[in-house]
Structures are given as structure tokens and as C-alpha cells.
Amino acid sequence: MQLVVARVGRAHGIKGEVTVEVRTDEPELRLAPGAVLATDPASAGPLTIETGRVHSGRLLLRFEGVSDRNGAEALRNTLLIAEVDPDDKPEDPDEYYDHQLMDLDVVLKDGTEVGRITEISHLPSQDLFVVERADGTEVLIPFVEEIVVEIDLETQRAVIDPPPGLIDDRAEIASSRDAENTSAGEDENTSAGEDENTSAGDEA
């Protein structure tokens, strides 16, 4: 199974190093020197990691055959993809690979259905579940322990305990907007016409 483990950022220096946006909780394994990674776009790879180091809190990589700034800049925004055994599991029991979380049913503690996870968004500050609701709208659920209280892979569901407003703000805004449009229509006869393992509270 192929999983995105990083995205190449800007060039660093003049010797071919690049910054990377890490999308795995196991960079020491997935992004170690010697690792061979597929790419998206495919024409950019495969890439073999020659060196890696942390500088000012960011991981810097150099790939074999890329020795100058121009070559590094040409890789900007390239996704780095690792081949992962689908039966593998992270060592930490509170961590999950993205493919384990995709398509889980999201429910409240009382069993009320919220929707289905369609995407895992990895942001610098936290990870988010992109949840599609029955009506086709989407809601973003921060993957933190205070909100996602249980992940049950056997029953294929994620139980959440959202704070007030997290999943109903959109509905309230839409309702208010509809009311305004209705009022306007009465007066003017017009109407308004989509990485890798993830852990709660951690960046992937």
C-alpha cells in the first residue's frame, strides 16, 4: 500500500537540500537515508534519500542526484510516497495510519450519526478529520483526545464529544443566510442561487 509521508517544500541553501512537510509520525523510519520513495508527480521520482537533518525545527533532506538549488527547487510541492504493508500498525497504540481511519463512521457519544471520514488533513498545528455528512456537507473535526474520545477499528467508527458549535455552526449560519435570502426575495423577488499515520493531538 502506498502512503504519502511528506511533501517537498522550498530549497534550502545551494547544495540541493529541501525542506519537507512531514506527514508521518515515523520520519526516522520512512524518511531515513537510503529510503527509496515514489513521487507524485511520478515523473519526479523515484527519489533516494541521501542525507537528512533537522535545522531550526524543520527536516531537511537531500536526494541522490540532486546537488544544486535549481534541482531542489524543481522538486517543490512533490509528494513523497512510501510503500507500506497494509497489515503494519504504528508502535504507539494511540497512533493510526491514515488508511485505517478513512471511511470510519463518526458518531456522538450517544450514538447519533455525524457522518463518514473522507480525508485526513495534516496541518502544522494539528490533524483534522474531514467528515462528510448525510446531506453532502462537510465538517472538520480536530483529531485531539478531548474531542475524539474513541477509535474502534473493529466496529469501524470514531466516537466524538465535540464542544458546542463545532458541528452545528454551519447549520446555524446556513439557516441564518437562508432567512436573509428569503426576506430579500420577498422584497425584490430574487433568491441566492477533498499522508500517513496520525495520532490524536500530534502532527503526522
Side-chain angles (χ1 to χ4, degrees):
M1 174 178 290
Q2 292 188 321
L3 297 174
V4 174
V5 294
R7 182 179 66 84
V8 177
R10 66 182 61 185
H12 178 83
I14 61 174
K15 296 183 179 181
E17 284 187 311
V18 296
T19 62
V20 293
E21 175 192 315
V22 178
R23 297 189 180 183
T24 171
D25 284 337
E26 300 173 315
E28 69 285 349
L29 174 64
R30 308 298 181 194
L31 300 172
V36 180
L37 302 169
T39 60
D40 182 5
S43 59
L47 295 172
T48 300
I49 297 176
E50 183 173 315
T51 64
R53 65 188 179 97
V54 176
H55 175 73
S56 299
R58 302 211 65 174
L59 179 61
L60 302 180
L61 297 180
R62 181 186 289 117
F63 302 103
E64 291 183 5
V66 180
S67 58
D68 58 27
R69 188 176 184 88
N70 289 337
E73 280 290 352
L75 295 173
R76 192 166 184 173
N77 292 323
T78 297
L79 297 180
L80 304 179
I81 304 169
E83 190 70 36
V84 178
D85 187 331
D87 293 327
D88 280 354
K89 295 181 180 179
E91 294 182 2
D92 190 328
D94 291 327
E95 295 179 353
Y96 303 88
Y97 290 129
D98 284 7
H99 71 269
Q100 295 176 297
L101 300 171
M102 291 291 290
D103 292 324
L104 293 188
D105 293 322
V106 178
V107 300
L108 301 180
K109 293 174 69 175
D110 63 5
T112 301
E113 295 185 2
V114 176
R116 179 178 60 87
I117 298 175
T118 58
E119 183 182 343
I120 314 296
S121 179
H122 300 287
L123 303 180
S125 58
Q126 64 185 3
D127 299 316
L128 297 172
F129 291 162
V130 180
V131 178
E132 183 178 311
R133 311 180 84 164
D135 61 2
T137 60
E138 292 182 340
V139 60
L140 302 179
I141 306 295
F143 188 22
V144 294
E145 294 178 356
E146 295 80 3
I147 297 175
V148 182
V149 298
E150 181 184 0
I151 296 290
D152 191 333
L153 297 181
E154 291 189 5
T155 62
Q156 288 289 286
R157 72 176 194 167
V159 181
I160 66 171
D161 184 19
L166 180 63
I167 64 175
D168 52 12
D169 267 356
R170 183 188 299 270
E172 293 175 1
I173 293 172
S175 177
S176 174
R177 188 174 297 155
D178 288 344
E180 292 176 0
N181 288 339
T182 299
S183 176
E186 291 174 351
D187 295 336
E188 304 171 6
N189 196 30
T190 60
S191 59
E194 275 127 277
D195 348 41
E196 199 190 340
N197 51 318
T198 308
S199 59
D202 295 331
E203 178 187 354

